[in-house]
Amino acid sequence: MVKIADIELGEFPLLLAPMEDVSDPPFRALCKEQGCDIMYTEFISVEGLIRDATKSVEKLDIFDYERPIGIQIFGANIESMVKAADIVEAAQPELLDINFGCPVKKVTCKGAGAGILQDIPKMVELTKAIVDRTNLPVTVKTRLGWDNKTQYIEEVAERLQDVGIKALSIHGRTRQQMYKGEADWTLIGAIKDNPRISIPIFGNGDIDSPQKAEAYRNRYGVDGIMIGRAAIGNPWIFREIKHYFATGETLPPPNIDERVDAARDHLRRSLDWKGPKLGVLEMRRHYTNYFRGMPGVKEYRKTLVSEYEAETLFATLEEMREVYAGVTAQ
């Protein structure tokens, strides 16, 4: 049984990675239904939180059906991070997660996200300040290092554990790599082999199939796997991995009914949570992924990403259900 503090997550948990503009409540609901064990919010700016910025505060919305869930924050100012920790605790998640891995320039140039990998002592100091401040279990998500010359993740893991974090998720790339090239899990495995490490270690990066999930589980000995981009438009990946682990069998890809049902449910939840305008606009990034591989889908996709009326979008999805009945994705 893998546990973060007192939170039981099963024998080998699957985690949904926090992704900006993706892992919002509508999307998280679908992933939970498909077997995701623990999820995180989109990352939230601490400066936005302490200034009561609407966009940041809205990301604190969590629902009972999502639990256990972690709220993830990012920032570089210790005073702001500590104040934000109080706000997060008041929202009553199960976990508070610190983002030390975002590679985007507008975040790193301020010393936040993966930017703090250039200042490991500050990274540790900031983490300790939050651990000391909150009653919530604190977890961290980070990368191997800033670049190939500064892959200090083994030292970082020990030092963060020593100041009290309860779990560590590691993306197998440096900040310099962004999302390019193949993720290297070698150092993640080395951390799991370190006898000093007692907290759960979760691997992240490039897991896009049940077969790869099993291979990396066996090769690197991680306590669980965090899935990010491979879940976009594909919440079924969680159930597919779990089924493969249990039976050794590969489930068939979702049929058109499952794809349409997921897209409809996602759109409905998006409308309910974001309203009729944003609910429609922010769904557009998902349709391509839901219907990837369906032959001749281009014309339908044009409608889905340009239409403003929800009724027309729902009608288009139902038309696709009829047209693609019995068709398998290529």
Side-chain angles (χ1 to χ4, degrees), residues 257-269:
D257 284 329
E258 291 174 296
R259 292 170 187 263
V260 169
D261 287 346
R264 281 182 57 92
D265 191 26
H266 196 163
L267 175 58
R268 177 183 59 78
R269 292 176 184 272

Side-chain angles (χ1 to χ4, degrees), residues 18-268:
M19 293 177 282
E20 178 70 358
D21 294 327
V22 175
S23 52
D24 56 16
F27 182 66
R28 296 198 303 261
L30 295 173
C31 293
K32 188 69 174 182
E33 290 170 359
Q34 294 298 327
C36 182
D37 294 297
I38 185 166
M39 305 182 293
Y40 295 87
T41 63
E42 302 169 81
F43 74 157
I44 306 174
S45 164
V46 298
E47 302 299 337
L49 272 188
I50 65 176
R51 288 168 174 76
D52 205 29
T54 300
K55 187 174 182 180
S56 296
V57 173
E58 284 178 346
K59 292 179 182 179
L60 293 173
D61 286 354
I62 55 177
F63 302 90
D64 284 342
Y65 61 77
E66 299 181 289
R67 298 183 185 280
I69 188 166
I71 291 177
Q72 189 188 73
I73 58 175
F74 76 96
N77 180 277
I78 292 179
E79 183 180 355
S80 298
M81 291 286 275
V82 168
K83 289 179 180 178
D86 294 341
I87 298 171
V88 169
E89 185 167 336
Q92 299 183 326
E94 277 67 41
L95 303 168
L96 186 159
D97 190 72
I98 309 173
N99 182 311
F100 288 144
C102 177
V104 177
K105 185 176 181 179
K106 67 179 181 180
V107 174
T108 61
C109 70
K110 298 176 182 178
I116 206 167
L117 289 167
Q118 298 176 97
D119 189 347
I120 301 304
K122 183 178 179 181
M123 182 186 191
V124 175
E125 180 186 8
L126 192 156
T127 303
K128 184 178 188 304
I130 293 178
V131 169
D132 290 346
R133 179 73 170 217
T134 185
N135 292 312
L136 293 170
V138 175
T139 60
V140 164
K141 183 174 189 288
T142 190
R143 288 178 171 240
L144 301 178
W146 178 255
D147 55 26
N148 289 336
K149 297 179 181 178
T150 58
Q151 296 187 53
Y152 303 134
I153 188 61
E154 291 180 84
E155 173 194 347
V156 166
E158 288 191 5
R159 293 181 68 177
L160 294 182
Q161 176 180 268
D162 289 346
V163 298
I165 71 166
K166 301 302 182 183
L168 178 63
S169 300
I170 306 166
H171 184 110
R173 290 182 174 88
T174 64
R175 186 274 171 181
Q176 186 180 57
Q177 287 179 272
M178 301 292 285
Y179 296 100
K180 298 176 182 177
E182 185 177 355
D184 181 2
W185 285 46
T186 305
L187 292 178
I188 303 175
I191 292 167
K192 269 306 301 177
D193 289 338
N194 183 345
R196 279 206 62 216
I197 296 295
S198 58
I199 60 173
I201 302 296
F202 303 120
N204 173 231
D206 292 353
I207 301 299
D208 57 7
S209 70
Q211 292 80 6
K212 198 164 189 178
E214 183 180 60
Y216 277 44
R217 176 187 67 172
N218 294 341
R219 186 180 308 162
Y220 299 107
V222 291
D223 296 291
I225 288 174
M226 178 177 278
I227 298 172
R229 289 173 294 166
I232 301 175
N234 184 29
W236 305 281
I237 192 169
F238 297 101
R239 78 171 186 197
E240 290 169 354
I241 291 173
K242 287 190 171 183
H243 182 82
Y244 190 79
F245 283 175
T247 68
E249 300 174 353
T250 303
L251 285 173
N255 60 33
I256 191 60
D257 284 329
E258 291 174 296
R259 292 170 187 263
V260 169
D261 287 346
R264 281 182 57 92
D265 191 26
H266 196 163
L267 175 58
R268 177 183 59 78

Side-chain angles (χ1 to χ4, degrees), residues 276-307:
K277 183 177 180 179
L278 277 181
V280 166
L281 292 176
E282 295 191 2
M283 263 299 293
R284 290 178 176 177
R285 65 174 61 90
H286 295 282
Y287 294 120
T288 297
N289 292 294
Y290 278 125
F291 299 105
R292 188 178 302 280
M294 302 304 291
V297 77
K298 184 177 180 180
E299 292 304 312
Y300 287 108
R301 187 169 63 239
K302 285 182 181 179
T303 300
L304 293 171
V305 300
S306 61
E307 179 57 52

